[in-house]
Amino acid sequence: MTTDRVCDVWELSRRQGSVEGALALGDAPRLAGQLADAVGALRYRLSGLVDELGRPAAVLELQGRVRARCDRCGGPVELPIDERAQFFFVTDEQALGKLPIDESPQEPLLGSRRFDVAALVEDQAILALPISPRHDDCAGPGPRDGDRGSDGETHRPFEALAALKKKARR
Ligand SMILES: [Zn+2]
């Protein structure tokens, strides 16, 4: 097990190895741009396997907490990120283009001997964000007192997750 942010996915799959680490939000500008701040990190683990169709594949697990901006009041909303997704790897762009759309819920990725794990983590975290983050009990525009004491538990992330799963199953 290594903590490299770049890995050889063919080797990872063959050895059924894993890479894990933490992606600081400060190092994820595309993600941080959609958040209230860039404080914190996401823990990730990419575990290699050979899937049921014999393809080199991997499971990405992603966990952490981020703060997005509430669509109604503009205040920070804490969102738990807890994602798990399986991918399989193809060797070139051409193979990627030839795949039938929606053949399976698992997404194809262009594999590499120097695959950018950190970029995949960032992409998945962005997909996991709700389209319109809101406080569950948002009082609407304007300053509110409740923000500080909020424990950040909202139902929105789970709705987003459900929507994502539905999309993946389509
Ligand atoms: Zn709000």
Side-chain angles (χ1 to χ4, degrees):
M1 189 177 291
T2 65
T3 55
D4 289 345
R5 292 169 55 134
V6 171
C7 81
D8 179 340
V9 294
W10 314 120
E11 185 70 14
L12 193 76
S13 162
R14 201 159 36 232
R15 288 189 300 112
Q16 302 196 8
S18 66
V19 287
E20 61 175 51
L23 175 66
L25 295 180
D27 291 336
R30 287 181 296 125
L31 171 61
Q34 303 195 31
L35 301 175
D37 58 52
V39 179
L42 295 171
R43 302 232 17 115
Y44 63 83
R45 181 192 293 134
L46 185 68
S47 308
L49 64 126
V50 175
D51 73 12
E52 64 276 12
L53 298 176
R55 302 174 297 201
V59 169
L60 177 71
E61 291 162 283
L62 183 58
Q63 272 154 7
R65 299 184 83 81
V66 299
R67 272 173 303 280
R69 284 224 176 274
C70 173
D71 248 11
R72 287 199 75 198
C73 71
V77 190
E78 198 165 310
L79 304 173
I81 302 257
D82 190 355
E83 293 288 309
R84 185 180 188 282
Q86 185 169 326
F87 304 93
F88 63 94
F89 298 104
V90 297
T91 49
D92 55 49
E93 296 277 4
Q94 227 177 1
L96 206 57
K98 266 189 243 155
L99 287 167
I101 309 280
D102 292 343
E103 175 205 9
S104 80
Q106 290 151 22
E107 261 190 82
L109 290 176
L110 189 60
S112 166
R113 294 184 62 192
R114 293 192 53 77
F115 183 83
D116 191 341
V117 181
L120 178 63
V121 169
E122 189 171 3
D123 285 342
Q124 280 304 113
I126 289 170
L127 282 176
L129 295 177
I131 291 161
S132 174
R134 286 184 193 186
H135 295 110
D136 253 3
D137 54 347
C138 190
R144 63 200 282 273
D145 301 328
D147 277 344
R148 279 289 140 211
S150 164
D151 64 1
E153 289 299 329
T154 75
H155 296 298
R156 304 291 304 177
F158 300 105
E159 282 175 31
L161 192 65
L164 198 71
K165 281 184 177 150
K166 217 174 357 180
K167 195 179 119 207
R169 231 180 271 125
R170 199 176 45 193

